[in-house]
Amino acid sequence: MTDLDHEFEEELRQGLMLRNAPDGFTDKVLSRIPEHKQAQPIRWPVWRWATAAVVALAILLGVGFEKERQQRIAGEHAREQVLLALRITSSTLQAVNHKIREDRSSKEVQP
Amino acid sequence: MWVQASAGATLNVSRDAFRVIVERHQARVFSIAFRILGESGVAEEVAQDVFLELHRSLPRIESDEHIAAWLRRVACHRATDALRRRIVRRDQNAEELNDEIYAVRQPQQPASSLTARVEQLLLTLPVTQRSVMLMRYQEDLEPEEIANVLSMPIATVRSHLQRALKFLRAKAECTLKEYIRD
């Protein structure tokens, strides 16, 4: 940006200093506010409380579901591990049995 | 403090407290309305409506800074709406609302020659660019803040600023220096 640009911007700022509202403006605004509303206590709207409650409930339910899901995953993983161990054990036992039978057969054949 | 907050999120705003709020921000709101509309009478009506809406919206206001941001946003929108309604009424044969036809009558009783000249130039801009320029050079907001106030992308704000500055620079027949008095 050139110096001329800066100068022009500064002139814009100077030219756009705030203008006061016409005389009596504030009184006119206040006169349009109904008397009985001027000191009305202001409360948080009901819908905001309801929304907050729904959001909190959704978060709690979500946390609960997630915890249950993770427990289920952990349980399934443990089950898989047990099944794998059983399969390994089973195949090992089968191999051992096969070996024993082979040994017995070879001994019976010999005189 | 302009309001007293009690436990339980309840705010009590007295008449006197609201008077202080109006007096503190009346120049800002009126200036925005006046420089968008170009007419004092209509601008005053719009400015009053803005403060009445503020009074109704006080439960949602969180701080003094929030008030200023809220007033800028609502003042721009209401003034723009008022301007467009006037254009439609004035030219009912217009086939479409075009920003180029939004230039209105000259402002009354300028505060200074420089102000008069700047306001006159501003009124030659499309209303959207006018609002952006006011937020930048009257309210001294950064582009990111302008984007938030006017609910438009930052890139759009920067584009409007660039185009408006270029247009105004070209339109000014002479520098504004001669209007600045010591």
Side-chain angles (χ1 to χ4, degrees), chain B residues 14-130:
Chain B
S14 67
R15 183 188 175 90
D16 290 339
F18 192 66
R19 173 182 288 275
V20 170
I21 294 170
V22 175
E23 287 173 352
R24 184 179 298 167
H25 296 284
Q26 50 87 17
R28 161 179 288 127
V29 173
F30 178 76
S31 296
I32 290 172
F34 180 67
R35 285 160 180 168
I36 288 177
L37 287 159
E39 273 190 77
S40 180
V42 181
E44 186 181 356
E45 286 176 23
V46 168
Q48 286 186 27
D49 290 343
V50 169
F51 279 107
L52 291 177
E53 188 173 339
L54 173 66
H55 189 265
R56 289 190 295 270
S57 303
L58 281 172
R60 294 191 290 278
I61 302 295
E62 298 166 357
S63 65
D64 287 338
E65 290 75 23
H66 190 188
I67 287 180
W70 189 97
L71 286 172
R72 287 184 191 114
R73 180 183 301 118
V74 175
C76 280
H77 288 160
R78 281 198 169 242
T80 301
D81 288 346
L83 183 63
R84 286 179 173 151
R85 282 197 300 272
R86 284 174 57 212
I87 295 296
V88 170
R89 280 200 299 271
R90 194 177 67 190
D91 189 2
Q92 294 183 355
N93 292 326
E95 291 184 2
E96 59 181 18
L97 288 176
N98 190 327
D99 276 355
E100 281 70 34
I101 66 172
Y102 287 167
V104 294
R105 313 198 272 283
Q106 301 308 316
Q108 304 169 1
Q109 301 301 324
S112 71
S113 313
L114 175 62
T115 296
R117 178 64 176 150
V118 171
E119 289 173 343
Q120 186 179 4
L121 282 174
L122 209 63
L123 288 175
T124 63
L125 291 174
V127 66
T128 306
Q129 288 184 11
R130 210 179 297 172

Side-chain angles (χ1 to χ4, degrees), chain A residues 79-92:
Chain A
R79 175 173 169 271
E80 288 297 324
Q81 292 292 313
V82 169
L83 289 177
L84 179 62
L86 287 174
R87 281 198 291 273
I88 292 172
T89 306
S90 171
S91 66
T92 304

Side-chain angles (χ1 to χ4, degrees), chain A residues 98-110:
Chain A
H98 182 71
K99 181 67 176 165
I100 292 172
R101 282 198 292 273
E102 279 184 352
D103 287 346
R104 282 186 184 162
S105 299
S106 63
K107 284 179 182 174
E108 287 173 356
V109 169
Q110 291 177 3

